Amino acid sequence: MSAQAPVPLADEPQRRSRLAAVLDSDIAYSFLHSKVTIAAAIVALVIIAAAMLAPLIAPHDPYDLRTLSLLDSHNPPAWLTGGDARYLLGTDDQGRDVFSTILYGSRQSILIGLMATLFAGCLGIALGLIAGYAGGSLDALIMRAADIQSTFPAILIAMLIDGTSRALFGEQRNDQTVFWVMVLAIGLSFWVQYARTVRGSTLVEKNKDYVLAARLIGIHPGLILFRHVLPNVVGPVLVIATINLALAIITEATLSFLGLGLPSTEPSLGTLIQIGQKYLFAGEWWIAIFPGITLAALVLAVNLLGDWLRDALNPRLR
Amino acid sequence: MKLRAFALALALAVATTLPASAVTFRFAFQGDLKSLDPYSLNETFTHGMLGNVYEGLTKRDKDLKIIPGLATSWEQVEPTRWRFHLRKGVKFQNGEDFTADDVVFSAERSFKPASDIKTRIQPAGTKAMKVDDYTVDFVLPSPNPILPYEWDTWYILSKKWAEANGSVEPQPQAGQQQSYAALHANGTGPFIITEHQAGVKTVFKPNPNWWGKPEHNFDEVIFTTISNDATRVAALLSGDVDYADPIPLQDVERVNASANAHVLQGPELRTIFLGFDQYRDELKYSNVKGKNPFKDVRVRKAFYLAIDENAIVDKVMRKAAVASALMISPLLFPLAKDFTRPATDPAEAKKLLTEAGYPNGFEVTMDCPNDRYVNDEAICQAVTAMLARVGIKINLLAQPKAKYFAKILVSGGYDTSFYLLGWTPGSFDSWNILANMYRCRDEKGAGGNNNVGNYCNPKVEELTKEVLVEADTAKRDKMIEEAYKIGQEQDWGYIPLHQQALAWGASKKMKIVQRADNQILFYWFRKE
């Protein structure tokens, strides 16, 4: 036992110095000196953490239909007359607790947003690298496809893919399928930006000496791309990814709002807003307003983080 | 020259004064008018809309009393032969004369496979025969004292027009190809359709050659579909439309509080109910394989007992509905008071499911419209949650009515396992309910054409036949009661939910005639 003890100890100084290095970096500096960014990071973290821990902290499980009671529907928030202490932010038209539904709904929205961004990023980076490095007709083919797609609004592409999936799987799709269809639909509508950025950077990088050297010693092009070129082009991609995450969450909410997203028995933020807007005129504002605020706060926070990241990584702005 | 100048001046004067005095009536409904073929879809809204353009041999007045339409009078020559005397001098909107040939043609057309109004002329096998140009005889295989009760929505089409335009066959509800008759209308009624974009808007102009005396004062009527509740209410309040239907229950107060619009509420005769596929040996949409749980009466009863209808009336319908034990409104059946809904009992439901061999419940897909009835999707969601409590997992498929009807009705092959539907008996009589809902049918829909789940009991079938020919009202009511007792309290064939209330929103400038069958017949409306 004692023989193993020095190992973590030996690691300690190195780890500390790595942490110190991070804290000393330009990025950390600019982060710690921007109050807006810190606030945005806290808001985003709180919402994301609350969403991910939803099953632990939500007082009700809105997706468990057995626990819903119609008699508890249309309750106002707890602090208003007629409110019920069990339902902090009130209930919707089916008796779902709005607070719990926001937590569960944000979880769906964030997960779909993250997966879609990841998917769009991987696809865009891969295609951008190939286009930039291979050049010629393959480049033309990929980039013209990107040009064509960028003439359509992203939401239209997402609706197109969603519609195609309905034709393929029939109207009756299970929850799992819908989730992945949404990821695919949103992911496919956002790859263009990544591909363009990565292709541009690759065109610059591929003529640099280190790439030429790697080619001269006969390294496989795939290996050159991923080991040598990719790390040098990935910076701007991070910025796009952050801003795209916000867009992806908005797109998911829009699709759900239009009734194309998750089924109404498993509402996401967009679905909840859609339910709520029917009752807005009737004075039941809490069903739409609270999820609306959550969505706005989340998207704003992620956007601000993206903005900051762009400035921090841009050498010209330093 | 002088004359020409005068004519020009006159034309100019007319052209400049007309727009100022032209009255345009704009209205919005939540669903769309899919097909203009009056035989495509047996649905109140479609019948009402087309009732402004087409006419039947009979009509119904503002109080739903039968009055002469294209027939001026009729009599029973003998119990199995009815004679109809047709109105003379009536012209179709394309200028053709209306004659007995058109009636015979329309009768035959209503029996065609793609027709959704096969049960208008009953019993099956009835023949329409031309006596002369303005007299038609209907020869029945067995007596039917209520033969013309539903003929106000059996609209007469022009034979020549249908033949010339390839529309002898009705447009099927599920059909992709739109026939000529589905896109154009040629009736005898007070209005002409001048423009029709399915799902967007339909424009009506008054028919200058109509035989009747117009009560309306419109120069143009524009119908648009506004499916979003909030948008429809906003359109009414802002004056974009003069009439909107339905007003969502949660917005009734707000509309009534506004300065320029109000809500006309009244009882509706429509019953909203749930039905099961009791026919297929295996449900199409369920995780139970090799058998059909809905064939077991205990499962049907369990579903019935699991659903808390009072909560639906209170919360989803905001008390603007009356819970119903029957498939017919108590306003239409004098013995309805003998029936009561059993109290909701989830524990008993669970027990029944266990006895039937489903202690852990099962999964089934529910078909539901989302733009047809008041809060239809919300009702389905509430039902989904209530059934979840007894272990039944419902996969809810809520669709716009055009897709929904095309799936679950005859033209879609009754493609459903569990569904929500609303029904108003077109004759305002129980025989319509028995014939459409409780009578057995075959796969093509012969028999109980709208018996989607094919509830079938020979005893009820027998009673249905007897009810049709029975002339003694008291005896007839007893028979109907017995049929309902079997169909509901013994077989639990359907789950009747409630009769919804009408909620029409109208501008205060409008004079509206609201009929309890919810048909929108704007030839009675006026705009000040």
Side-chain angles (χ1 to χ4, degrees):
Chain A
M1 278 294 155
S2 58
Q4 285 173 354
V7 180
L9 276 179
D11 245 343
E12 277 294 288
Q14 201 194 345
R15 194 183 286 169
R16 196 175 295 139
S17 70
R18 209 178 268 168
L19 184 70
V22 169
L23 284 176
D24 277 343
S25 71
D26 293 347
I27 293 188
Y29 181 85
S30 79
F31 179 80
L32 293 172
H33 284 78
S34 162
K35 283 182 189 132
V36 174
T37 311
I38 295 177
I42 292 173
V43 170
L45 266 181
V46 166
I47 296 180
I48 292 174
M52 292 308 139
L53 299 175
L56 298 178
I57 54 178
H60 301 266
D61 180 357
Y63 295 172
D64 184 359
L65 295 174
R66 282 170 299 176
T67 63
L68 300 187
S69 167
L70 203 52
L71 296 172
D72 287 332
S73 62
H74 303 287
N75 270 347
W79 61 87
L80 295 178
T81 43
D84 186 324
R86 287 176 298 159
Y87 307 111
L88 182 63
L89 300 182
T91 55
D92 74 353
D93 64 334
Q94 294 292 325
R96 277 184 217 103
D97 178 31
V98 170
F99 177 60
S100 308
T101 317
I102 288 176
L103 293 181
Y104 275 83
S106 332
R107 191 158 78 134
Q108 299 269 34
S109 301
I110 293 169
L111 279 179
I112 290 177
L114 279 175
M115 301 300 278
T117 309
L118 195 69
F119 175 62
C122 292
L123 187 69
I125 291 172
L127 288 174
L129 279 175
I130 293 170
Y133 194 77
S137 53
L138 192 57
D139 179 26
L141 186 76
I142 294 174
M143 293 329 285
R144 289 306 79 72
D147 287 348
I148 292 169
Q149 176 161 343
S150 61
T151 58
F152 296 101
I155 186 82
L156 200 65
I157 308 263
M159 285 169 78
L160 189 78
I161 294 165
D162 186 82
T164 315
S165 85
R166 273 168 209 266
L168 283 179
F169 300 112
E171 285 289 341
Q172 189 56 55
R173 309 169 302 170
N174 64 38
D175 319 344
Q176 275 299 311
T177 332
V178 178
F179 183 89
W180 290 111
V181 166
M182 299 278 282
V183 169
L184 191 76
I186 300 170
L188 277 181
S189 32
F190 284 117
W191 67 272
V192 173
Q193 273 179 296
Y194 297 95
R196 282 193 174 148
T197 317
V198 170
R199 173 179 172 270
S201 313
T202 310
L203 283 178
V204 175
E205 296 293 325
K206 82 169 177 186
N207 292 321
K208 287 192 177 164
D209 289 345
Y210 72 95
V211 178
L212 292 176
R215 275 166 73 180
L216 276 177
I217 57 171
I219 298 180
H220 188 267
L223 210 58
I224 299 178
L225 275 179
F226 284 94
R227 191 163 289 170
H228 301 286
V229 180
L230 182 61
N232 288 304
V233 301
V234 86
V237 166
L238 277 181
V239 176
I240 301 179
T242 323
I243 292 177
N244 260 359
L245 174 62
L247 276 176
I249 292 173
I250 285 275
T251 310
E252 189 279 329
T254 313
L255 285 177
S256 297
F257 183 83
L258 295 173
L260 299 171
L262 296 164
S264 50
T265 43
E266 289 190 10
S268 73
L269 288 179
T271 324
L272 208 54
I273 296 172
Q274 187 228 346
I275 296 170
Q277 62 99 25
K278 278 191 274 188
Y279 299 99
L280 261 184
F281 284 159
E284 295 178 6
W285 49 272
W286 55 89
I287 309 176
I289 297 291
F290 290 125
I293 292 174
T294 314
L295 183 66
L298 177 65
V299 170
L300 183 66
V302 173
N303 257 328
L304 286 172
L305 282 177
D307 261 4
W308 159 76
L309 199 60
R310 189 189 59 202
D311 294 349
L313 290 180
N314 190 341
R316 265 176 252 145
L317 283 179
R318 266 186 219 149
Chain B
M1 201 60 208
K2 218 172 194 178
L3 193 71
R4 202 178 284 172
F6 176 72
L8 193 70
L10 192 74
L12 265 175
V14 168
T16 45
T17 50
L18 253 187
S21 61
V23 180
T24 301
F25 168 53
R26 293 167 199 276
F27 74 105
F29 182 69
Q30 64 176 350
D32 59 4
L33 178 61
K34 194 183 170 206
S35 166
L36 296 183
D37 188 328
Y39 296 19
S40 280
L41 180 60
N42 188 14
E43 181 219 20
T44 304
F45 171 70
T46 307
H47 288 325
M49 292 297 284
L50 295 177
N52 294 296
V53 179
Y54 284 101
E55 291 171 304
L57 291 181
T58 68
K59 289 188 146 195
R60 279 182 189 267
D61 69 3
K62 294 165 190 172
D63 301 317
L64 293 169
K65 253 198 0 260
I66 296 175
I67 54 170
L70 288 177
T72 47
S73 63
W74 50 91
E75 72 253 354
Q76 263 179 289
V77 184
E78 52 190 273
T80 57
R81 178 182 285 265
W82 289 61
R83 176 157 295 174
F84 283 76
H85 302 282
L86 307 184
R87 196 176 289 277
K88 289 179 189 158
V90 174
K91 282 192 188 301
F92 283 99
Q93 289 159 0
N94 66 351
E96 285 161 4
D97 287 321
F98 159 71
T99 65
D101 290 329
D102 301 314
V103 177
V104 173
F105 166 76
S106 297
E108 280 161 10
R109 194 173 190 265
S110 81
F111 298 132
K112 301 261 184 190
S115 160
D116 201 29
I117 55 162
K118 289 192 198 77
T119 55
R120 279 294 180 280
I121 305 171
Q122 284 288 333
T126 301
K127 277 205 165 53
M129 286 192 275
K130 176 180 172 179
V131 178
D132 61 46
D133 267 0
Y134 294 100
T135 315
V136 178
D137 273 5
F138 288 83
V139 180
L140 285 61
S142 58
N144 175 3
I146 58 166
L147 179 70
Y149 271 35
E150 287 180 51
W151 287 10
D152 56 314
T153 54
W154 165 43
Y155 299 130
I156 304 299
L157 269 65
S158 158
K159 179 177 191 235
K160 277 190 215 144
W161 176 79
E163 282 173 351
N165 293 300
S167 295
V168 174
E169 295 287 330
Q171 164 75 30
Q173 170 61 205
Q176 293 296 319
Q177 288 277 324
Q178 292 275 294
S179 72
Y180 189 84
L183 299 170
H184 304 83
N186 177 36
T188 55
F191 281 90
I192 300 172
I193 291 181
T194 53
E195 187 189 341
H196 175 63
Q197 300 172 35
V200 185
K201 74 168 185 177
T202 308
V203 180
F204 302 78
K205 292 251 164 72
N207 175 5
N209 302 320
W210 186 45
W211 55 268
K213 198 172 145 286
E215 288 184 38
H216 66 86
N217 64 339
F218 305 136
D219 298 300
E220 190 181 38
V221 176
I222 300 175
F223 160 69
T224 45
T225 300
I226 305 182
S227 57
N228 184 294
D229 283 344
T231 317
R232 194 166 55 249
V233 173
L236 174 69
L237 294 181
S238 68
D240 281 350
V241 295
D242 305 307
Y243 165 92
D245 180 31
I247 297 301
L249 300 167
Q250 64 270 17
D251 290 329
V252 168
E253 266 178 60
R254 186 164 151 268
V255 173
N256 278 333
S258 79
N260 51 1
H262 58 139
V263 179
L264 296 144
Q265 279 184 298
E268 194 187 348
L269 303 174
R270 181 188 312 282
T271 305
I272 305 292
F273 64 91
L274 307 176
F276 320 91
D277 176 1
Q278 306 163 41
Y279 174 72
R280 290 187 179 88
D281 290 326
E282 182 182 296
L283 287 179
K284 269 187 99 168
Y285 305 102
S286 167
N287 65 348
V288 179
K289 294 296 163 204
K291 57 179 174 173
N292 176 351
F294 291 140
K295 278 186 188 251
D296 190 327
V297 63
R298 289 171 296 191
V299 174
R300 301 198 295 265
K301 187 176 178 189
F303 271 55
Y304 197 125
L305 294 179
I307 292 168
D308 184 355
E309 172 55 26
N310 291 334
I312 293 179
V313 168
D314 277 359
K315 287 292 182 170
V316 181
M317 303 302 291
R318 302 197 178 214
K319 302 201 163 68
V322 183
S324 179
L326 284 181
M327 296 286 282
I328 191 165
S329 161
L331 302 173
L332 299 177
F333 181 51
L335 302 181
K337 55 187 183 310
D338 297 349
F339 294 83
T340 46
R341 280 185 69 92
T344 311
D345 191 347
E348 176 70 16
K350 191 96 188 104
K351 209 178 113 218
L352 284 165
L353 283 173
T354 311
E355 279 172 28
Y358 306 98
N360 300 315
F362 57 91
E363 248 183 87
V364 64
T365 295
M366 178 178 189
D367 285 289
C368 187
N370 61 15
D371 62 356
R372 180 63 194 96
Y373 311 112
V374 179
N375 289 344
D376 39 15
E377 190 180 357
I379 298 170
C380 290
Q381 282 193 38
V383 165
T384 304
M386 288 162 181
L387 288 172
R389 244 169 277 152
V390 296
I392 303 293
K393 182 170 187 292
I394 299 282
N395 300 311
L396 184 57
L397 178 56
Q399 306 189 88
K401 70 176 173 118
K403 290 179 88 172
Y404 168 76
F405 285 133
K407 180 172 188 273
I408 73 148
L409 295 182
V410 56
S411 56
Y414 301 108
D415 184 15
T416 182
S417 297
F418 185 48
Y419 62 96
L420 175 137
L421 193 66
W423 188 262
T424 312
S427 59
F428 308 104
D429 173 82
S430 281
W431 185 80
N432 171 293
I433 302 281
L434 294 175
N436 279 293
M437 297 287 162
Y438 288 98
R439 196 162 52 149
C440 316
R441 61 159 174 84
D442 70 8
E443 266 159 55
K444 294 213 173 66
N449 190 31
N450 289 288
N451 183 354
V452 173
N454 204 356
Y455 164 82
C456 190
N457 184 327
K459 182 77 185 105
V460 176
E461 181 102 15
E462 198 48 48
L463 282 164
T464 306
K465 279 187 196 137
E466 288 168 24
V467 166
L468 183 61
V469 296
E470 181 57 59
D472 178 345
T473 316
K475 247 170 103 183
R476 190 169 179 274
D477 281 350
K478 276 283 168 211
M479 285 177 189
I480 295 169
E481 185 180 28
E482 194 189 342
Y484 285 156
K485 283 252 189 254
I486 299 170
Q488 282 314 126
E489 295 180 358
Q490 179 188 319
D491 288 346
W492 305 89
Y494 288 95
I495 306 178
L497 295 177
H498 52 252
Q499 279 92 30
Q500 63 190 28
L502 292 178
W504 292 11
S507 149
K508 285 186 179 155
K509 286 187 208 142
M510 294 293 305
K511 278 214 170 73
I512 299 269
V513 175
Q514 185 177 39
R515 232 168 55 169
D517 65 350
N518 204 12
Q519 283 191 22
I520 304 166
L521 296 168
F522 48 75
Y523 52 78
W524 286 323
F525 296 5
R526 285 184 75 82
K527 186 175 169 181
E528 303 308 328

